Amino acid sequence: MENWFTIDRIDGETYCISEYRHWEETHCYLLNGAERSLLIDTGLGIRNIYEEVLRLAGGRPVAAVATHVHWDHVGGHRYFPDFYAHEAELDWLRGGFPLSAETVRRMVADRCELPEGFDLDSYTMFQGTPTRVLRDGDVIDLGGRVLQVLHTPGHSPGHMCFWEAGDLFTGDLVYKDTLFAYYPSTDPEAYLDSLERIAALPARRVFPGHHTLDIGPEIIARMRDAFRELKAKGLLHHGSGTFDYGDWAVWL
Protein backbone atom coordinates (compact mmCIF):
# COMPACT_ATOMS: atom_id res chain seq x y z
CA MET A 1 0.00 0.00 0.00
CA GLU A 2 3.01 2.34 -0.22
CA ASN A 3 1.99 3.52 -3.68
CA TRP A 4 -1.24 5.16 -2.60
CA PHE A 5 -1.18 7.74 -5.42
CA THR A 6 -1.12 7.08 -9.14
CA ILE A 7 0.46 9.90 -11.13
CA ASP A 8 -0.28 10.58 -14.80
CA ARG A 9 1.46 13.29 -16.77
CA ILE A 10 -1.14 15.07 -18.89
CA ASP A 11 1.32 17.36 -20.64
CA GLY A 12 4.63 19.05 -19.92
CA GLU A 13 3.55 20.89 -16.77
CA THR A 14 0.20 19.30 -15.85
CA TYR A 15 -0.22 16.19 -13.73
CA CYS A 16 -3.13 14.10 -12.50
CA ILE A 17 -2.66 12.61 -9.02
CA SER A 18 -5.25 9.89 -8.40
CA GLU A 19 -6.41 7.76 -5.46
CA TYR A 20 -7.53 4.59 -7.24
CA ARG A 21 -7.24 2.48 -4.08
CA HIS A 22 -10.37 4.13 -2.71
CA TRP A 23 -13.82 3.55 -4.22
CA GLU A 24 -14.26 7.23 -5.06
CA GLU A 25 -11.14 7.24 -7.27
CA THR A 26 -10.56 10.93 -6.66
CA HIS A 27 -8.39 12.92 -9.07
CA CYS A 28 -6.33 15.97 -8.16
CA TYR A 29 -4.65 18.12 -10.79
CA LEU A 30 -1.33 19.92 -10.47
CA LEU A 31 -0.81 22.83 -12.85
CA ASN A 32 2.68 24.31 -12.99
CA GLY A 33 3.04 27.87 -14.24
CA ALA A 34 6.17 29.90 -14.79
CA GLU A 35 5.90 31.52 -11.35
CA ARG A 36 3.78 29.24 -9.17
CA SER A 37 1.77 26.02 -9.11
CA LEU A 38 -1.84 25.22 -8.31
CA LEU A 39 -3.26 21.95 -7.05
CA ILE A 40 -6.93 21.53 -7.89
CA ASP A 41 -8.35 19.40 -5.05
CA THR A 42 -6.20 17.62 -2.47
CA GLY A 43 -7.99 14.27 -2.19
CA LEU A 44 -8.99 12.29 0.85
CA GLY A 45 -6.02 13.03 3.06
CA ILE A 46 -5.34 9.34 3.68
CA ARG A 47 -1.77 9.88 2.53
CA ASN A 48 0.28 13.09 2.30
CA ILE A 49 -0.26 14.45 -1.20
CA TYR A 50 1.99 17.44 -0.45
CA GLU A 51 5.09 15.23 -0.73
CA GLU A 52 4.10 14.19 -4.25
CA VAL A 53 3.24 17.75 -5.24
CA LEU A 54 6.53 19.24 -4.08
CA ARG A 55 8.43 16.74 -6.19
CA LEU A 56 6.40 17.60 -9.30
CA ALA A 57 6.25 21.37 -8.76
CA GLY A 58 9.97 21.79 -9.23
CA GLY A 59 10.51 24.31 -6.45
CA ARG A 60 7.60 26.59 -7.31
CA PRO A 61 5.35 27.83 -4.50
CA VAL A 62 2.12 25.81 -4.48
CA ALA A 63 -1.41 26.86 -3.58
CA ALA A 64 -4.36 24.47 -3.29
CA VAL A 65 -7.93 25.08 -4.39
CA ALA A 66 -10.92 22.79 -3.94
CA THR A 67 -13.63 22.44 -6.54
CA HIS A 68 -15.83 22.13 -3.44
CA VAL A 69 -15.49 21.53 0.28
CA HIS A 70 -16.28 17.80 0.54
CA TRP A 71 -14.05 15.43 2.52
CA ASP A 72 -12.69 13.71 -0.59
CA HIS A 73 -11.53 17.00 -2.10
CA VAL A 74 -10.07 18.84 0.89
CA GLY A 75 -8.55 15.98 2.88
CA GLY A 76 -5.02 17.06 2.03
CA HIS A 77 -5.61 20.77 2.57
CA ARG A 78 -3.99 20.61 5.99
CA TYR A 79 -0.60 20.37 4.28
CA PHE A 80 -1.15 23.60 2.29
CA PRO A 81 -0.99 26.90 4.22
CA ASP A 82 -1.94 28.72 1.00
CA PHE A 83 -5.37 27.61 -0.22
CA TYR A 84 -8.42 29.14 -1.93
CA ALA A 85 -12.15 28.49 -1.48
CA HIS A 86 -15.45 29.79 -2.80
CA GLU A 87 -17.32 32.29 -0.67
CA ALA A 88 -20.45 30.09 -0.53
CA GLU A 89 -18.68 27.31 1.41
CA LEU A 90 -16.71 29.27 4.00
CA ASP A 91 -19.08 28.11 6.73
CA TRP A 92 -18.20 24.48 5.95
CA LEU A 93 -14.55 25.35 6.51
CA ARG A 94 -15.50 26.71 9.93
CA GLY A 95 -17.06 23.44 11.07
CA GLY A 96 -20.54 23.82 9.60
CA PHE A 97 -20.38 20.86 7.22
CA PRO A 98 -23.82 19.16 7.27
CA LEU A 99 -22.59 15.57 7.81
CA SER A 100 -21.23 14.19 11.07
CA ALA A 101 -17.60 13.15 11.47
CA GLU A 102 -18.70 9.55 11.99
CA THR A 103 -20.68 9.55 8.72
CA VAL A 104 -17.65 10.88 6.86
CA ARG A 105 -15.37 8.26 8.46
CA ARG A 106 -17.69 5.48 7.29
CA MET A 107 -17.45 6.74 3.70
CA VAL A 108 -13.67 7.04 3.94
CA ALA A 109 -13.40 3.42 5.11
CA ASP A 110 -16.01 2.02 2.72
CA ARG A 111 -14.67 -0.23 -0.07
CA CYS A 112 -11.08 0.70 0.71
CA GLU A 113 -8.13 -1.20 2.12
CA LEU A 114 -6.75 1.55 4.29
CA PRO A 115 -2.95 1.75 4.37
CA GLU A 116 -1.07 0.40 7.34
CA GLY A 117 -0.72 2.98 10.08
CA PHE A 118 -3.69 5.09 9.02
CA ASP A 119 -5.80 6.01 12.07
CA LEU A 120 -9.42 6.25 10.94
CA ASP A 121 -10.60 7.38 14.38
CA SER A 122 -8.52 10.53 14.10
CA TYR A 123 -9.86 11.44 10.65
CA THR A 124 -11.71 14.76 10.71
CA MET A 125 -13.11 17.17 8.14
CA PHE A 126 -10.60 19.86 7.28
CA GLN A 127 -11.21 23.29 8.76
CA GLY A 128 -9.32 26.46 8.04
CA THR A 129 -9.33 30.00 6.71
CA PRO A 130 -8.49 30.40 3.02
CA THR A 131 -5.82 32.83 1.94
CA ARG A 132 -8.05 33.85 -0.97
CA VAL A 133 -11.84 33.79 -1.29
CA LEU A 134 -12.98 33.08 -4.85
CA ARG A 135 -16.03 34.29 -6.74
CA ASP A 136 -17.42 33.65 -10.18
CA GLY A 137 -15.28 35.17 -12.90
CA ASP A 138 -12.11 35.45 -10.84
CA VAL A 139 -8.83 34.50 -12.48
CA ILE A 140 -5.88 32.59 -11.06
CA ASP A 141 -2.61 33.62 -12.72
CA LEU A 142 0.24 31.11 -12.39
CA GLY A 143 2.58 32.97 -14.71
CA GLY A 144 2.00 32.03 -18.33
CA ARG A 145 -1.10 30.06 -17.34
CA VAL A 146 -4.38 31.69 -16.39
CA LEU A 147 -7.45 29.86 -15.09
CA GLN A 148 -10.94 31.31 -14.92
CA VAL A 149 -13.17 30.47 -11.96
CA LEU A 150 -16.67 29.30 -12.90
CA HIS A 151 -19.18 29.10 -10.05
CA THR A 152 -21.15 25.96 -10.91
CA PRO A 153 -23.45 25.11 -7.99
CA GLY A 154 -25.66 22.03 -7.90
CA HIS A 155 -23.53 19.32 -6.39
CA SER A 156 -22.67 21.79 -3.64
CA PRO A 157 -23.41 25.49 -3.06
CA GLY A 158 -19.91 26.73 -3.82
CA HIS A 159 -18.85 24.20 -6.43
CA MET A 160 -16.41 25.56 -8.98
CA CYS A 161 -15.13 24.44 -12.36
CA PHE A 162 -11.89 25.83 -13.74
CA TRP A 163 -11.39 26.85 -17.36
CA GLU A 164 -8.02 27.10 -19.08
CA ALA A 165 -7.93 27.68 -22.83
CA GLY A 166 -10.10 24.72 -23.83
CA ASP A 167 -9.41 22.59 -20.77
CA LEU A 168 -12.24 22.21 -18.27
CA PHE A 169 -11.66 20.88 -14.77
CA THR A 170 -15.13 19.77 -13.68
CA GLY A 171 -14.80 18.45 -10.13
CA ASP A 172 -18.00 16.61 -9.19
CA LEU A 173 -20.24 18.38 -11.67
CA VAL A 174 -19.28 16.03 -14.53
CA TYR A 175 -17.76 12.55 -14.44
CA LYS A 176 -18.62 9.06 -15.72
CA ASP A 177 -20.50 7.22 -12.96
CA THR A 178 -23.37 8.20 -10.68
CA LEU A 179 -23.63 11.94 -10.11
CA PHE A 180 -24.78 12.80 -6.60
CA ALA A 181 -27.58 15.36 -6.41
CA TYR A 182 -29.63 13.88 -3.58
CA TYR A 183 -27.99 15.39 -0.49
CA PRO A 184 -29.99 18.20 1.15
CA SER A 185 -27.08 20.51 0.32
CA THR A 186 -27.42 19.75 -3.41
CA ASP A 187 -29.68 21.66 -5.78
CA PRO A 188 -30.87 19.79 -8.91
CA GLU A 189 -32.22 22.94 -10.59
CA ALA A 190 -28.92 24.74 -10.05
CA TYR A 191 -27.14 21.63 -11.36
CA LEU A 192 -28.99 22.00 -14.66
CA ASP A 193 -28.13 25.71 -14.83
CA SER A 194 -24.46 24.86 -14.33
CA LEU A 195 -24.54 22.19 -17.03
CA GLU A 196 -26.17 24.70 -19.38
CA ARG A 197 -23.34 27.09 -18.71
CA ILE A 198 -20.40 24.74 -19.23
CA ALA A 199 -22.05 23.04 -22.24
CA ALA A 200 -21.75 26.39 -24.03
CA LEU A 201 -17.97 26.43 -23.61
CA PRO A 202 -15.71 25.29 -26.49
CA ALA A 203 -14.08 22.61 -24.35
CA ARG A 204 -11.52 20.33 -25.98
CA ARG A 205 -10.62 18.29 -22.89
CA VAL A 206 -12.52 17.45 -19.71
CA PHE A 207 -10.77 16.55 -16.47
CA PRO A 208 -13.24 15.06 -13.96
CA GLY A 209 -13.01 14.75 -10.20
CA HIS A 210 -13.59 10.98 -10.11
CA HIS A 211 -13.32 7.66 -11.91
CA THR A 212 -12.20 7.18 -15.51
CA LEU A 213 -10.12 9.82 -17.26
CA ASP A 214 -11.47 8.53 -20.58
CA ILE A 215 -14.07 11.24 -20.91
CA GLY A 216 -14.79 13.76 -23.65
CA PRO A 217 -16.64 17.08 -23.75
CA GLU A 218 -19.60 15.58 -25.63
CA ILE A 219 -20.85 14.05 -22.36
CA ILE A 220 -21.64 17.52 -21.01
CA ALA A 221 -24.32 18.13 -23.63
CA ARG A 222 -25.76 14.67 -23.01
CA MET A 223 -25.98 15.39 -19.30
CA ARG A 224 -27.55 18.77 -19.94
CA ASP A 225 -30.15 17.24 -22.25
CA ALA A 226 -30.99 14.52 -19.72
CA PHE A 227 -31.42 17.09 -16.95
CA ARG A 228 -33.63 19.15 -19.27
CA GLU A 229 -35.79 16.09 -19.91
CA LEU A 230 -36.06 15.31 -16.20
CA LYS A 231 -37.17 18.88 -15.55
CA ALA A 232 -39.76 18.72 -18.32
CA LYS A 233 -41.19 15.56 -16.74
CA GLY A 234 -41.30 17.11 -13.27
CA LEU A 235 -38.58 14.77 -11.98
CA LEU A 236 -35.73 17.20 -11.35
CA HIS A 237 -36.04 17.21 -7.57
CA HIS A 238 -34.82 15.36 -4.52
CA GLY A 239 -36.34 11.93 -4.01
CA SER A 240 -37.30 11.25 -7.62
CA GLY A 241 -34.85 8.34 -7.89
CA THR A 242 -31.75 7.27 -9.81
CA PHE A 243 -31.69 7.60 -13.59
CA ASP A 244 -29.21 5.56 -15.64
CA TYR A 245 -27.92 6.78 -19.01
CA GLY A 246 -25.37 4.09 -19.77
CA ASP A 247 -21.95 5.53 -19.03
CA TRP A 248 -23.30 7.85 -16.33
CA ALA A 249 -26.29 8.19 -13.99
CA VAL A 250 -27.74 10.73 -11.60
CA TRP A 251 -29.11 10.13 -8.11
CA LEU A 252 -31.71 12.75 -7.20
Side-chain angles (χ1 to χ4, degrees):
M1 293 295 290
E2 289 304 312
N3 297 323
W4 177 260
F5 298 106
T6 299
I7 299 174
D8 292 296
R9 191 170 191 172
I10 295 171
D11 55 40
E13 292 295 351
T14 308
Y15 298 86
C16 179
I17 306 173
S18 306
E19 295 179 284
Y20 287 118
R21 295 181 181 272
H22 188 271
W23 69 271
E24 293 187 275
E25 298 179 323
T26 301
H27 303 302
C28 309
Y29 298 94
L30 178 65
L31 284 61
N32 291 328
E35 299 173 6
R36 60 188 60 85
S37 299
L38 183 74
L39 182 64
I40 300 175
D41 291 332
T42 62
L44 287 141
I46 290 174
R47 278 287 187 250
N48 187 346
I49 195 171
Y50 190 62
E51 296 173 351
E52 302 291 341
V53 168
L54 284 183
R55 181 172 60 83
L56 299 171
R60 301 172 182 86
V62 183
V65 64
T67 53
H68 59 299
V69 181
H70 281 173
W71 62 93
D72 50 327
H73 296 263
V74 299
H77 268 46
R78 66 181 180 272
Y79 302 112
F80 295 85
D82 188 14
F83 75 92
Y84 314 151
H86 191 272
E87 60 181 345
E89 293 179 357
L90 297 182
D91 181 60
W92 287 3
L93 288 168
R94 301 186 189 107
F97 190 69
L99 294 181
S100 70
E102 183 54 39
T103 298
V104 171
R105 288 186 192 114
R106 285 199 300 269
M107 286 186 282
V108 169
D110 186 29
R111 284 176 281 163
C112 172
E113 184 184 348
L114 293 170
E116 184 177 352
F118 178 73
D119 182 9
L120 182 63
D121 292 336
S122 67
Y123 188 93
T124 58
M125 277 287 295
F126 172 78
Q127 296 180 29
T129 301
T131 52
R132 181 179 175 185
V133 175
L134 297 175
R135 297 169 180 84
D136 185 57
D138 284 351
V139 297
I140 302 173
D141 189 345
L142 305 178
R145 301 185 72 170
V146 176
L147 282 79
Q148 182 180 2
V149 175
L150 307 175
H151 181 211
T152 51
H155 178 73
S156 73
H159 190 284
M160 295 177 287
C161 292
F162 299 96
W163 172 257
E164 185 197 17
D167 288 346
L168 184 63
F169 298 86
T170 60
D172 281 10
L173 189 74
V174 170
Y175 56 80
K176 283 185 177 180
D177 206 281
T178 302
L179 305 177
F180 292 165
Y182 68 92
Y183 291 121
S185 56
T186 65
D187 184 337
E189 291 274 355
Y191 211 123
L192 171 56
D193 292 340
S194 294
L195 288 173
E196 293 278 9
R197 182 181 188 188
I198 65 169
L201 296 171
R204 296 191 303 270
R205 298 190 296 182
V206 171
F207 298 104
H210 296 282
H211 307 305
T212 181
L213 294 171
D214 182 16
I215 184 171
E218 53 79 28
I219 198 172
I220 301 173
R222 288 197 282 123
M223 289 178 172
R224 176 205 60 197
D225 292 347
F227 271 68
R228 283 178 177 175
E229 183 178 8
L230 289 170
K231 182 174 182 178
K233 293 179 178 179
L235 295 171
L236 193 61
H237 59 79
H238 291 152
S240 62
T242 300
F243 301 88
D244 192 335
Y245 298 96
D247 56 352
W248 70 281
V250 59
W251 183 1
L252 293 168

